[in-house]
Amino acid sequence: MNHYETEAIWQLFKQAGYERKDFESHADVYVINTCTVTNTGDKKSRQVIRRAVRRNPDAVICVTGCYAQTSPAEVMAIPGVDIVIGTQDRGKILEYIEQFKQQRQPINGVRNIMKTRVYEELDVPAFTDRTRASLKIQEGCNNFCTFCIIPWARGLMRSRDPKEVIRQAQQLVDAGYKEIVLTGIHTGGYGEDMKNYNFAMLLRDIDEQVKGLKRLRISSIEASQITDEVIDVLKRSDKIVRHLHIPLQSGSNTVLKRMRRKYTTEFFAERLARLREVFPDLAVTSDVIVGFPGETEEEFMETYEFIRAQRFSELHVFPYSKRTGTPAARMPDQVDEEIKNERVHRLIALSDQLAKEYASMFEGQVLEVIPEELDKENPTSGLYVGYTDNYLKVKFPATEDMVGQLVKVKITKAGYPYNEGEFVRVIHDVDDTIRLSS
Ligand code: SF4
């Protein structure tokens, strides 16, 4: 989300005639878009702010984002900080800079985010990355999981106007993007603050109305948001990819309860089973937190077994990290770092094994891939790296002009993190033909 919003902020500067410089070089204005998701996020944000001040003490230093929103006084107190803006009113950034240049007085533009009920538009018509475009569809979250500070940094759920979503999706496709990733703080919660419209309807409308779109990905969706209506839209669409990221966080009901997650493992498993009836080869990735306060070895093993049984195709494993200001940080029985690390390693090993098993189902098959970049590990090899719709990472021989195009690739050797492939052909469609000839 921060990456997306940094691009949006850059658009504001670009329109005002600014030039973008590398962060480490000398500039007139530095914008630091901060993170606060963990205590380390705060610390790193402070370090980066200080680095910018050192780089050019005369520059305008503007701090924005989640850390700025939750701790404006702390940020203002850092010597050299001139402007603080939270997670709203980013559109005022240039105005504040002008005001600062004239008055040389620090500006605190942070307002109470909990009172904000309307989605704030921030356009991103193009990305530095050529292949995949993110599209923000909502902001905020109403869940207040006990480990998470995000609702305090982002406020409550606000959905973007569907017409704006469609308009921007079309703009991105017209700019050449084949794949759009719907993003948000609580993406699948889209529409929960609306009457007569929901996430399934948004998916259907994008699918039907955005001309030329090839792939639609949902960055993350909660098990409770995978309604039968959503499954039905997935079934009818040939653009929504065969990959869902469904955060699990824990596979133990007692831990889920302490986390204040709003589902049980039984419910999660039932939704997954329903999805797999319709899409037998669906890739399901997930996030897991290990070492949540009070997590016993038995509870950890419940998570381990659940993950094995549910055959996730890849896991993002995080050791629980205390976030000041959240209920979980004050819970008794905090787990030892050593135990956390050991559990993280066990789950990563399981994730690797499951990922390989999942990938091996596709050996010998021809899949559609969008090449993203030259293989960084071996740039002279002529191999490019890209993702299939079901999120397999494939290395295969390609050429620079294929980057961002949809191509057919045969998976010759399944593996993890990379699969090896053989280029088959570029997929040209009617739209491409028209664009090329006009
Ligand atoms: S659902 Fe929970 S973890 Fe996700 S943003 Fe909301 S409070 Fe945080």
Side-chain angles (χ1 to χ4, degrees):
M1 186 56 85
N2 266 15
H3 171 69
Y4 177 91
E5 288 171 355
T6 303
E7 291 283 347
I9 294 168
W10 159 238
Q11 291 298 324
L12 299 172
F13 280 90
K14 191 176 162 190
Q15 280 155 22
Y18 276 81
E19 187 191 321
R20 192 175 185 163
K21 305 268 281 185
D22 187 88
F23 191 76
E24 299 304 336
S25 60
H26 190 96
D28 302 319
V29 179
Y30 289 84
V31 179
I32 299 105
N33 194 8
T34 58
C35 171
T36 197
V37 73
T38 60
N39 287 347
T40 322
D42 286 7
K43 198 172 139 202
K44 282 191 187 161
S45 299
R46 283 193 296 270
Q47 284 169 353
V48 174
I49 296 165
R50 291 201 190 96
R51 219 160 69 213
V53 175
R54 271 200 307 273
R55 186 77 51 204
N56 180 8
D58 297 327
V60 181
I61 306 289
C62 180
V63 182
T64 181
C66 293
Y67 175 47
Q69 180 67 49
T70 50
S71 312
E74 217 171 281
V75 177
M76 289 296 280
I78 301 174
V81 170
D82 301 317
I83 302 166
V84 184
I85 305 172
T87 53
Q88 59 188 340
D89 299 331
R90 255 76 73 97
K92 290 187 185 161
I93 199 162
L94 289 153
E95 211 178 289
Y96 284 148
I97 289 170
E98 285 313 309
Q99 184 187 328
F100 180 82
K101 278 186 187 160
Q102 280 164 21
Q103 302 171 355
R104 303 308 284 186
Q105 288 298 322
I107 300 169
N108 179 354
V110 179
R111 285 191 296 126
N112 185 350
I113 194 80
M114 286 306 177
K115 290 195 176 150
T116 306
R117 292 287 185 274
V118 182
Y119 180 90
E120 185 177 272
E121 283 296 331
L122 261 186
D123 242 11
V124 190
F127 290 85
T128 324
D129 178 339
R130 286 177 294 168
T131 48
R132 252 187 283 170
S134 303
L135 174 51
K136 183 174 165 185
I137 60 168
Q138 66 80 233
E139 174 67 277
C141 176
N142 297 352
N143 269 17
F144 295 92
C145 301
T146 55
F147 53 82
C148 184
I149 197 77
I150 287 175
W152 300 104
R154 292 285 178 166
L156 301 174
M157 164 76 87
R158 285 101 75 197
S159 301
R160 191 172 186 179
D161 181 342
K163 283 195 214 73
E164 281 300 313
V165 176
I166 306 273
R167 185 191 59 77
Q168 209 191 341
Q170 189 63 61
Q171 192 178 32
L172 290 167
V173 173
D174 292 346
Y177 292 99
K178 298 270 183 283
E179 178 171 332
I180 287 178
V181 186
L182 300 180
T183 56
I185 292 297
H186 197 53
T187 314
Y190 181 91
E192 282 168 15
D193 57 336
M194 291 171 146
K195 277 192 199 127
N196 310 321
Y197 200 74
N198 61 26
F199 187 48
M201 289 164 158
L202 180 76
L203 289 174
R204 192 200 53 211
D205 286 348
I206 297 175
D207 192 290
E208 286 174 1
Q209 293 174 28
V210 180
K211 305 275 175 290
L213 176 65
K214 290 287 177 285
R215 276 186 188 176
L216 184 60
R217 199 180 293 278
I218 305 161
S219 64
S220 181
I221 184 165
E222 298 281 344
S224 58
Q225 292 155 351
I226 305 170
T227 58
D228 288 346
E229 199 185 345
V230 166
I231 296 177
D232 194 54
V233 177
L234 300 185
K235 197 162 73 183
R236 285 165 201 275
S237 169
D238 58 353
K239 293 175 196 141
I240 305 174
V241 297
R242 290 174 299 163
H243 164 230
L244 289 178
H245 183 79
I246 317 174
L248 174 67
Q249 309 303 10
S250 171
S252 154
N253 280 335
T254 40
V255 176
L256 285 174
K257 203 160 180 193
R258 294 204 293 280
M259 288 177 163
R260 215 190 284 140
R261 300 286 294 171
K262 293 182 172 155
Y263 50 84
T264 59
T265 51
E266 291 76 16
F267 177 83
F268 197 105
E270 185 276 325
R271 285 289 88 191
L272 222 51
R274 176 82 190 89
L275 273 169
R276 287 200 165 120
E277 267 170 36
V278 186
F279 311 100
D281 54 4
L282 184 77
V284 181
T285 55
S286 195
D287 297 325
V288 188
I289 296 174
V290 299
F292 187 77
E295 186 187 69
T296 60
E297 177 62 21
E298 290 70 36
E299 286 173 328
F300 171 73
M301 281 315 290
E302 282 170 24
T303 297
Y304 189 94
E305 293 304 338
F306 186 80
I307 288 166
R308 182 153 63 185
Q310 298 304 324
R311 296 176 287 119
F312 289 97
S313 60
E314 191 180 13
L315 296 176
H316 301 161
V317 186
F318 302 92
Y320 168 73
S321 159
K322 239 186 188 180
R323 182 62 187 82
T324 314
T326 59
R330 298 188 294 272
M331 284 180 184
D333 305 322
Q334 298 283 330
V335 176
D336 246 37
E337 291 303 316
E338 241 170 73
I339 298 178
K340 278 188 216 168
N341 284 339
E342 187 256 336
R343 290 180 187 166
V344 165
H345 283 117
R346 275 150 78 190
L347 269 194
I348 289 177
L350 176 63
S351 170
D352 286 2
Q353 181 197 328
L354 291 174
K356 278 182 201 142
E357 282 171 20
Y358 178 76
S360 66
M361 287 163 46
F362 300 90
E363 208 167 74
Q365 286 194 29
V366 174
L367 303 176
E368 289 180 1
V369 179
I370 301 181
E372 296 194 0
E373 58 184 10
L374 199 60
D375 177 13
K376 278 200 201 102
E377 287 166 10
N378 200 353
T380 52
S381 64
L383 296 177
Y384 280 73
V385 179
Y387 284 95
T388 62
D389 70 331
N390 58 342
Y391 223 53
L392 295 176
K393 212 172 186 182
V394 189
K395 268 187 197 178
F396 63 102
T399 50
E400 187 60 25
D401 57 323
M402 289 180 203
V403 170
Q405 302 299 315
L406 211 53
V407 301
K408 289 220 182 242
V409 175
K410 184 174 177 182
I411 306 297
T412 48
K413 191 167 171 233
Y416 180 78
Y418 295 103
N419 297 275
E420 289 172 24
E422 201 177 271
F423 169 72
V424 179
R425 68 178 175 87
V426 178
I427 304 169
H428 290 292
D429 59 11
V430 180
D431 288 344
D432 282 335
T433 319
I434 293 168
R435 212 173 309 152
L436 286 174
S437 57
S438 60

